Amino acid sequence: MTDFQPKSDFLRILKERGFIHQCSDFEGLDALAAKGKVVAYVGYDCTAQSLHIGNYLTMMMLYWLQQSGNKPITLMGGGTTRIGDPSGKDETRAMRTIEEIDSNKAAIKGVFSKVLTFGEGPKNAQMVDNADWLTKLEWIEMLRDVGRHFSVNRMLAMDSVRLRLEREHEMSFIEFNYMIAQSYDYVELARRLGCNLQMGGSDQWGNIIMGVDLGRRMGTHQLYALTTPLLTTASGAKMGKTAQGAVWLNAEQFSPYDFWQYWRNTEDADVGRFLKLFTILPMDEIARLEALQGSEINEAKKALASAATELLHGKAAAEAAAETARKTFEEGGTAASLPSVEIAGSEVEAGFGVLAAFVKAGLVPSNGEARRQVQAGGLRVNDVVVADPAQVLSPADAVHGGAIKLSFGKKKHVLLKLV
RNA sequence: GGGGGAAUGUCCCGAGCGGCAAAGGGGGCGGACUGUAAAUCCGCUGGCUAAGCCUUCGUAGGUUCGAGUCCUACUUCCCCCA
């Protein structure tokens, strides 16, 4: 890969921005891309109410694909999610109900239009759902047409299966079939939409390659595979995890402000890499930001946060988040746009315990945790450290335009609004 | 089908002579230091109407003043034999 010099814009951009981990055939794919004839898809699981940062990476690949004159397809895994992908998992996840999957699917769909342009045109993005064909298959027919092309010997050698077997962890038959379903998806999309490239995370390599292989055996045009590297931070942690959980792409589950903060807190060593992967800033601008040293790197982090947030949540949301952060951190003031939680004024008049207030604000999960944090000096009311767990809040504390500012640690702030 | 072993703090791994809210580690959170970074150091890491009370060790019973620890049955997983 390192010595391959792509001629097409698509692969050139992906390569210089660090999206490429493995590809089944660089030359072949490059030739197609140069002619704008790539129709690529990425499959998305419907296991949660929102996609997360890992998915953002493949969405960016689809973005560059479309920008370079090719056609992107987003595949909703309405069918495959009913099976459950065993790749990279030690144990079977809880089975999801069909209602749950459908509800997740509905919640996820909207996010793609933030980055891709959908429509009927030949280069417009298209969304499909594999439930449309997978749920209609006939068992015997499926075995004869598709099943005969799969070697169980090879399937057993796949990482997703082998690792389970080696560790003597259970793998049920339904999961064993996941790769067949995914391979079949690829062939189906090749036939229906002329799809010729499947992209995904590096853990999907095996599944994708199986699809390429199935296509050859079933007589489709040549199919290609392209994967991105596993996302980790410079210090080795899995990306996308925060105190609250995953970094979701839906604003309802992870606010634009939190999203902005997530990128703002990037480790120094990751800034350049993330700018290339998660923003569409031009490469020379990234090179300039990357060259910053010492505390100047903070400028690069702000640029990263704003650019990434703008792409996903829009310019207004990104600017608001940046402004809130500036007031909060650089001026030490209180921005009215900090996340807020409402509380009945009457409740506070009667005297409201600090511990309960922090729980109410959602900053700590329990009274006990709040109590511990008081001991550790981690809680502040209106920027004053809470020293006494028995402290009581009153309406007089609502000094920020009818709100009390509660802080947990240095970075998490919530306004408790009296109503 | 027969024999043996294992399930622990609902994030994970993992110790646990009958007195245990239960060792240790990872992870996480907070504090100090900084640049809203990393590294390092310190503290915390079941709930509550909190010097007390309540609920936890696969499930259900039992023995005992007292059970994660002993007994019985059941569930699940692993290993060996057939």
Side-chain angles (χ1 to χ4, degrees):
Chain A
M1 201 285 274
T2 41
D3 50 339
F4 177 68
Q5 295 302 322
K7 296 179 189 64
S8 66
D9 287 345
F10 175 55
L11 285 185
R12 183 181 50 74
I13 293 169
L14 254 49
K15 190 186 170 194
E16 70 186 11
R17 285 186 174 257
F19 280 95
I20 298 178
H21 181 244
Q22 279 179 288
C23 179
S24 58
D25 173 12
F26 280 111
E27 282 81 7
L29 183 59
D30 194 37
L32 275 181
K35 289 183 280 186
K37 291 200 169 153
V38 175
V39 179
Y41 91 94
V42 177
Y44 295 94
D45 256 353
C46 306
T47 46
Q49 280 281 301
S50 168
L51 297 178
H52 52 78
I53 283 212
N55 301 309
Y56 196 34
L57 197 62
T58 58
M59 282 170 60
M60 289 308 295
M61 286 207 292
L62 291 175
Y63 169 83
W64 291 116
L65 178 85
Q66 187 165 43
Q67 292 304 308
S68 58
N70 296 282
K71 181 182 177 71
I73 293 170
T74 57
L75 174 71
M76 301 304 292
T80 34
T81 306
R82 296 189 200 178
I83 299 174
D85 187 1
S87 301
K89 301 187 187 74
D90 261 0
E91 284 165 26
T92 308
R93 291 274 186 79
M95 277 272 241
R96 275 158 232 278
T97 65
I98 291 174
E99 294 71 41
E100 208 179 333
I101 292 169
D102 285 344
S103 138
N104 289 343
K105 188 161 67 189
I108 288 169
K109 274 183 174 174
V111 75
F112 296 109
S113 57
K114 303 273 180 67
V115 174
L116 301 174
T117 308
F118 286 85
E120 298 302 314
K123 306 292 184 190
N124 282 156
Q126 221 175 317
M127 181 177 298
V128 289
D129 181 351
N130 61 17
D132 289 349
W133 55 84
L134 290 180
T135 56
K136 295 192 175 75
L137 294 172
E138 297 284 343
W139 172 245
I140 297 294
E141 195 183 332
M142 180 72 186
L143 289 178
R144 287 180 60 92
D145 293 348
V146 180
R148 68 194 172 98
H149 297 300
F150 283 85
S151 151
V152 171
N153 308 46
R154 266 192 71 194
M155 289 169 73
L156 290 176
M158 301 273 293
D159 278 358
S160 58
V161 178
R162 205 193 73 233
L163 293 174
R164 286 272 189 98
L165 294 179
E166 276 174 4
R167 295 184 196 179
E168 292 167 344
H169 282 159
E170 177 73 11
M171 168 174 256
S172 72
F173 187 63
I174 184 173
E175 289 179 280
F176 188 60
N177 278 270
Y178 187 91
M179 64 179 97
I180 294 181
Q182 185 169 338
S183 302
Y184 181 72
D185 277 348
Y186 199 170
V187 170
E188 189 70 26
L189 286 169
R191 287 176 172 167
R192 288 181 178 221
L193 304 170
C195 188
N196 49 22
L197 171 63
Q198 181 181 175
M199 305 190 287
S202 57
D203 59 331
Q204 291 298 309
W205 177 253
N207 290 343
I208 297 175
I209 275 299
M210 276 230 142
V212 170
D213 212 50
L214 181 65
R216 202 185 69 242
R217 289 167 200 267
M218 293 182 72
T220 67
H221 48 262
Q222 179 66 51
L223 302 179
Y224 298 89
L226 181 65
T227 57
T228 58
L230 183 69
L231 261 189
T232 52
T233 65
S235 42
K238 282 168 292 188
M239 261 197 82
K241 296 290 179 197
T242 69
Q244 289 76 32
V247 175
W248 302 110
L249 301 186
N250 284 8
E252 306 81 62
Q253 285 173 67
F254 203 72
S255 73
Y257 173 73
D258 287 333
F259 192 75
W260 194 94
Q261 278 296 321
Y262 177 77
W263 295 111
R264 175 63 246 264
N265 287 306
T266 297
E267 293 179 31
D268 287 7
D270 287 325
V271 175
R273 193 157 56 99
F274 290 175
L275 277 166
K276 290 178 201 157
L277 293 172
F278 296 104
T279 77
I280 55 175
L281 294 176
M283 287 299 285
D284 54 350
E285 171 69 0
I286 292 177
R288 184 186 72 78
L289 292 168
E290 228 179 338
L292 296 173
Q293 294 297 318
S295 60
E296 288 188 329
I297 291 175
N298 285 323
E299 191 199 328
K301 291 184 186 179
K302 286 180 211 166
L304 167 64
S306 290
T309 306
E310 178 176 336
L311 192 61
L312 186 67
H313 296 297
K315 197 172 182 64
E319 282 172 358
E323 181 57 14
T324 301
R326 196 184 63 76
K327 278 193 182 146
T328 308
F329 290 100
E330 292 177 22
E331 292 180 4
T334 302
S337 53
L338 278 175
S340 69
V341 171
E342 298 190 340
I343 183 172
S346 54
E347 242 182 290
V348 179
E349 279 179 44
F352 200 54
V354 252
L355 303 181
F358 277 88
V359 174
K360 172 88 180 170
L363 287 167
V364 294
S366 71
N367 244 337
E369 177 62 18
R371 200 177 288 270
R372 269 179 234 117
Q373 288 304 340
V374 169
Q375 282 185 337
L379 301 186
R380 275 166 296 145
V381 172
N382 294 330
D383 301 312
V384 177
V385 174
V386 177
D388 176 14
Q391 184 181 332
V392 172
L393 300 181
S394 73
D397 291 309
V399 295
H400 298 283
I404 306 172
K405 181 184 181 187
L406 303 180
S407 308
F408 174 43
K410 290 199 176 63
K411 297 179 187 174
K412 280 159 288 200
H413 310 277
V414 167
L415 293 178
L416 199 58
K417 284 189 177 152
L418 309 191
V419 291

